[in-house]
Amino acid sequence: MILENISSNKLFEGWHKQYTHSSSVLNCEMRFAIYLPPQASSNTPVPVMYWLSGLTCSDENFMQKAGAQKLAAELGIAIVAPDTSPRGENVTDDSNKAYDLGLGAGFYVNATQAPWNKHYQMYDYIVNELPQLIEANFPVTKERVISGHSMGGHGALTIGIRNPDLYQSMSAFSPICNPINCAWGQKAFSAYLGDNIEEWKAYDSCELLANHKKHQPILIDQGSNDSFLQDQLKPESLTAIADSKLNIFQLNIREGYDHSYYFISSFIESHLRFHAVNLGLIKNS
């Protein structure tokens, strides 16, 4: 698979780069960003944190706003930020150009309904195609962790819970925890997956956690002043299930914080350290 490097920027002795490639899974050209810390070389490959962004975002939001690269450089963790959906003139979009369906709103599912199913196979792209591409072309190991924000937090949790052998840990900021029971999720799942709610459960963190006996450690940060907290995000639904589990689960309610990247940049370092512990890079303090 051919990668085209479209930008390169040096920071903290590492490199932030953007690439485009043709995706056979999504049937379109895709873009992703990667931050390679200074430790990354053919002799010393590094683990990867995959970051999944939220509605309307792309690879650029996290890389430009979160301020994660400094600590990633110190810890020796690469960061990969894919786009949030397929893109392009031939890719189906919502006819009303709604922000919560279509371009920028892939919801990290494998769509089964036409016309979405031709391109919207984001689950397979994140779990299989993109990591294979990264591992074949960059000095990284097969060790992965996954994180994300809002719709991307939903993606990080569902993908992490479903694939405990692929990810050492998972974390999320303001995730959509119970999409079956919120407007964002119901709209997207109806379009992408059809009317059978049983099929929706494969992409709902609450349903997955309730039915998986084992999962890797989970860290969630949620702002108390998040305008989407009650109607869309519903972390209490996930906490009620997680409390009955013996596995590691931590939810932090951050007083006064909202849904923005001001919130993410305030706590991203604690998430990187959490993942570094689970990757065996540092000890838990």
Side-chain angles (χ1 to χ4, degrees):
M1 191 176 295
I2 299 173
L3 290 177
E4 181 181 357
N5 180 215
I6 59 173
S7 73
S8 297
N9 301 94
K10 189 172 184 179
L11 69 165
F12 303 111
E13 300 304 317
W15 286 92
H16 167 271
K17 298 185 178 186
Q18 283 181 308
Y19 290 88
T20 59
H21 72 98
S22 178
S23 168
S24 60
V25 169
L26 303 177
N27 294 304
C28 65
E29 186 174 88
M30 288 295 287
R31 188 179 74 189
F32 69 86
I34 184 168
Y35 176 68
L36 291 168
Q39 299 91 331
S41 71
S42 58
N43 293 325
T44 56
V46 298
V48 182
M49 181 180 83
Y50 287 86
W51 173 269
L52 308 184
S53 288
L55 288 166
T56 75
C57 294
S58 69
D59 62 290
E60 294 184 335
N61 298 73
F62 179 80
M63 290 299 201
Q64 295 180 7
K65 296 179 179 180
Q69 292 93 338
K70 182 177 181 180
L71 185 57
E74 294 175 13
L75 295 171
I77 299 175
I79 301 172
V80 172
D83 205 343
T84 52
S85 80
R87 307 263 185 183
E89 292 182 2
N90 296 322
V91 174
T92 301
D93 193 13
D94 178 62
S95 59
N96 296 316
K97 302 296 182 183
Y99 77 97
D100 54 357
L101 186 67
L103 300 186
F107 269 83
Y108 306 101
V109 305
N110 283 342
T112 59
Q113 304 299 301
W116 308 100
N117 56 350
K118 181 178 179 181
H119 297 286
Y120 286 74
Q121 305 294 312
M122 285 298 292
Y123 178 89
D124 280 350
Y125 179 70
I126 299 299
V127 174
N128 298 311
E129 187 179 41
L130 183 60
Q132 291 169 9
L133 183 67
I134 298 299
E135 290 163 12
N137 289 278
F138 299 99
V140 301
T141 69
K142 292 184 179 296
E143 292 182 300
R144 311 175 196 171
V145 297
I146 192 164
S147 187
H149 171 233
S150 194
M151 178 187 72
H154 141 77
L157 294 178
T158 56
I159 288 171
I161 295 169
R162 286 177 62 171
N163 298 278
D165 295 334
L166 294 181
Y167 302 93
Q168 301 299 110
S169 51
M170 63 197 103
S171 72
F173 289 84
S174 314
I176 304 171
C177 294
N178 193 198
I180 286 177
N181 290 312
C182 78
W184 278 342
Q186 291 165 352
K187 179 178 181 178
F189 288 3
S190 294
Y192 299 147
L193 304 173
D195 296 330
N196 186 351
I197 294 179
E198 288 301 310
E199 294 185 12
W200 298 9
K201 292 180 179 180
Y203 302 103
D204 186 290
S205 297
C206 290
E207 295 289 337
L208 291 169
L209 195 63
N211 291 288
H212 279 66
K213 294 181 179 179
K214 180 182 179 181
H215 65 78
Q216 299 288 31
I218 298 173
L219 171 64
I220 297 174
D221 273 294
Q222 173 65 60
S224 67
N225 282 16
D226 191 322
S227 60
F228 303 114
L229 178 56
Q230 299 302 323
D231 293 338
Q232 303 284 9
L233 306 181
K234 302 182 182 296
E236 70 282 354
S237 299
L238 191 62
T239 302
I241 297 166
D243 283 346
S244 66
K245 300 282 185 178
L246 297 177
N247 305 79
I248 297 172
F249 176 91
Q250 182 177 350
L251 169 65
N252 300 315
I253 301 297
R254 303 295 188 177
E255 190 64 34
Y257 286 90
D258 58 19
H259 199 73
S260 71
Y261 268 83
Y262 295 113
F263 170 46
I264 295 170
S265 63
S266 297
F267 298 101
I268 189 60
E269 290 194 357
S270 66
H271 283 237
L272 283 167
R273 289 193 174 92
F274 165 78
H275 291 303
V277 168
N278 289 291
L279 288 165
L281 299 177
I282 59 175
K283 293 183 179 179
N284 197 2
S285 57

